[in-house]
Amino acid sequence: MMIEYRIDWQEAAEAKAAAEEAFYHLVEEQEKGISGYYLLPERSRMIVEEVKATLLPTSTVQEADTVVVIGIGGSSLGAKAVDRILRPVTPGAKRMVFFENPDPLEVLEKIETLERERTLFCVISKSGGTIETTTLYKVLIDRLGLAPDGADRERIFVITDEGSILHRYADAHGLRSFFIPANVGGRFSVLSAVGVVPLTLAGYDVCALLKGAQKLHQDFFDRRADHILQKGAFYVRHWRERPMNVLFAYGTHLEDLTKWYVQLWGESLGKIDAQGERVGLTPLGHIGSVDQHSFLQLIMEGPRDKTVTFLKIDRFPRDITIPDLRLEHIEKNDYINGHSVGELLDAECEATWESIRKQGVPTDGIVLDGISPENIGELIFYYELLTSVAGALLDINTYDQPGVELGKQILRQKFQDKGDA
């Protein structure tokens, strides 16, 4: 399996110099441990082997048909994306249900589909105190009659920072804990225990996922993947006139990946830089061909403030031949008869790509030769590296998120005020 990367613009000398600067910045980040995600493709293999050796053989895991993930943002988006993409090529995988948003209608609908005795629960929060996660966990305990101290101790797993309040809770109840490295932020954590534990429990080939990421890690630091540097340097060089990047993914199963990308890109790159200036690149995720009928017009004739990335799959694992049927008065579409639905989607991608490029919009592409754990692992690591490159050149701290803390403080105050009233 492999991925092809295409860039449709010419490099300027300034971009090449910036790319070199970014590379050595990332080398320093890895060597100094500024961010630990660089080492996850190798180090997380030990977690996979631990889960395989100690959990998969147990009757509790073997008899389960569902894995519940209780988490939000970086604690759920990555695993959710992997599950959505790989499920069509992993028919034996356990069902995965994600409790993220405290929407009462959605929460109740999902609870009604669960059988406690056939479900595994992964409670995920890096800080250990995420309000949505702890709230939804309480609801599940109450509605399903979960007994963390007793019969359900072996079906509840905690994934958090070592020493967090959630870790202390797990210890108090004898629950199995897995730890997130302290220098790995939530949105970069899909290849840590955050993703690999629930995905391994569900039956996915997580070692192959990590192998794909490790391959790109090796290629990047051996200077065989400089296209990542070139792309990041171009984005940052033009961020003022083109502050938005549209990821146009051609495949419905790629939709959750676009949502993961939006969090990774937005939370990492919207910052106040070292000079005190507000900077950032705005991510937009869309699905082809659906959003060709809604967003494409804006790209084609709206403000020239966007770059567009096309993500497509060359060969789908299953396809459908379009029957040779003639429909009265609709004969103009008969040219597609005998071709496959996958061919139609691919041709729509290429036609849209060409039309946007002809409008002078900077475009690039990522072409997967098929759907495999290796390809998806590489794709995840690609976007993490690209984010780090852009952050380095924007002169920001890519890995913090101070802007989200104020809302949490206001939320707490609102409930405290209600209690005082």
Side-chain angles (χ1 to χ4, degrees):
M1 290 291 181
M2 62 172 290
I3 301 178
E4 177 189 357
Y5 302 94
R6 304 178 189 170
I7 291 178
D8 297 330
W9 57 76
Q10 294 296 317
E11 287 185 88
E14 297 91 335
K16 293 180 180 179
E20 287 298 308
E21 175 189 342
F23 175 75
Y24 290 107
H25 189 99
L26 266 63
V27 169
E28 183 180 27
E29 285 188 352
Q30 177 173 253
E31 291 177 349
K32 293 185 175 180
I34 293 170
S35 180
Y37 85 85
Y38 297 106
L39 304 180
L40 291 177
E42 179 180 353
R43 292 185 175 177
S44 289
R45 292 175 185 273
M46 294 183 291
I47 301 174
V48 176
E49 295 306 322
E50 180 183 352
V51 173
K52 285 182 175 180
T54 63
L55 297 183
L56 296 193
T58 65
S59 59
T60 301
V61 173
Q62 289 188 357
E63 292 169 8
D65 59 16
T66 302
V67 176
V68 160
V69 172
I70 310 161
I72 194 168
S75 295
S76 64
L77 286 171
K80 189 177 183 182
V82 173
D83 173 55
R84 183 86 180 273
I85 298 168
L86 294 183
R87 184 156 296 276
V89 297
T90 319
K94 301 181 193 295
R95 181 175 67 124
M96 297 190 75
V97 180
F98 294 83
F99 285 83
E100 304 164 287
N101 193 24
D103 174 337
L105 295 179
E106 182 189 38
V107 170
L108 288 170
E109 285 176 353
K110 288 181 176 180
I111 287 175
E112 289 168 0
T113 72
L114 300 178
E115 294 181 48
R116 178 179 59 83
E117 297 85 356
R118 298 179 64 80
T119 304
L120 308 173
F121 300 86
C122 295
V123 187
I124 308 176
S125 169
K126 182 172 174 61
S127 69
T130 309
I131 187 67
E132 296 91 346
T133 302
T134 56
T135 297
L136 293 172
Y137 179 46
K138 290 175 185 178
V139 170
L140 286 166
I141 291 174
D142 179 61
R143 293 280 173 160
L144 295 176
L146 280 175
D149 287 319
D152 297 310
R153 181 178 289 132
E154 293 185 356
R155 69 177 67 256
I156 301 173
F157 309 100
V158 165
I159 302 166
T160 186
D161 276 356
E162 187 171 9
S164 75
I165 54 177
L166 184 57
H167 177 206
R168 296 203 297 271
Y169 164 83
D171 273 357
H173 293 269
L175 303 176
R176 183 70 172 271
S177 291
F178 295 89
F179 301 127
I180 307 165
N183 61 349
V184 174
R187 59 190 176 276
F188 285 86
S189 67
V190 59
L191 299 180
S192 75
V194 167
V196 304
V197 171
L199 290 168
T200 302
L201 288 171
Y204 287 106
D205 187 351
V206 178
C207 283
L209 189 81
L210 295 172
K211 180 181 177 181
Q214 180 62 32
K215 173 185 176 295
L216 186 60
H217 176 278
Q218 190 72 43
D219 285 349
F220 179 82
F221 286 102
D222 286 348
R223 301 304 298 269
R224 294 192 299 271
D226 278 3
H227 56 87
I228 299 174
L229 298 168
Q230 295 162 13
K231 182 172 171 178
F234 181 88
Y235 282 171
V236 172
R237 198 165 159 264
H238 296 280
W239 82 265
R240 294 181 189 278
E241 64 266 32
R242 296 188 182 275
M244 288 179 269
N245 174 251
V246 181
L247 176 57
F248 234 126
Y250 278 74
T252 304
H253 286 82
L254 298 169
E255 184 173 12
D256 285 321
L257 182 81
T258 70
K259 294 177 180 178
W260 171 81
Y261 151 76
V262 165
Q263 189 216 6
L264 178 70
W265 204 243
E267 200 167 69
S268 297
L269 301 181
K271 300 286 174 63
I272 295 175
D273 68 13
Q275 290 73 45
E277 182 181 358
R278 292 175 180 268
V279 301
L281 288 157
T282 300
L284 299 167
H286 288 285
I287 294 298
S289 67
V290 174
D291 292 328
Q292 289 178 195
H293 298 267
S294 60
F295 198 79
L296 179 58
Q297 174 64 34
L298 179 62
I299 298 174
M300 293 291 287
E301 295 187 352
R304 297 293 184 87
D305 55 0
K306 304 169 191 69
T307 60
V308 181
T309 299
F310 287 88
L311 172 61
K312 71 168 190 168
I313 300 164
D314 249 0
R315 292 190 303 275
F316 287 89
R318 293 185 296 166
D319 209 340
I320 306 167
T321 300
I322 300 167
D324 189 17
L325 293 177
R326 294 186 177 274
L327 303 177
E328 189 176 358
H329 304 301
I330 317 178
E331 294 88 351
K332 70 173 186 177
N333 289 335
D334 285 352
Y335 68 86
I336 198 67
N337 290 359
H339 295 275
S340 73
V341 172
E343 283 182 274
L344 172 60
L345 186 65
D346 183 72
E348 287 185 312
C349 175
E350 292 289 344
T352 304
W353 192 343
E354 183 177 345
S355 68
I356 291 175
R357 187 169 60 245
K358 285 184 175 180
Q359 293 298 312
V361 176
T363 59
D364 68 280
I366 304 168
V367 183
L368 282 65
D369 65 350
I371 300 174
S372 70
E374 291 92 340
N375 274 355
I376 303 310
E378 179 177 337
L379 186 59
I380 286 169
F381 205 70
Y382 167 86
Y383 265 107
E384 291 178 337
L385 286 170
L386 182 62
T387 303
S388 292
V389 169
L393 294 177
L394 285 168
D395 199 15
I396 59 174
N397 182 343
T398 310
Y399 308 107
D400 66 358
Q401 55 278 338
V404 304
E405 297 306 318
L406 178 58
K408 295 179 182 179
Q409 295 168 15
I410 294 173
L411 174 66
R412 178 180 294 274
Q413 189 61 50
K414 284 183 178 292
F415 279 91
Q416 289 175 342
D417 290 346
K418 286 183 179 181
D420 294 338

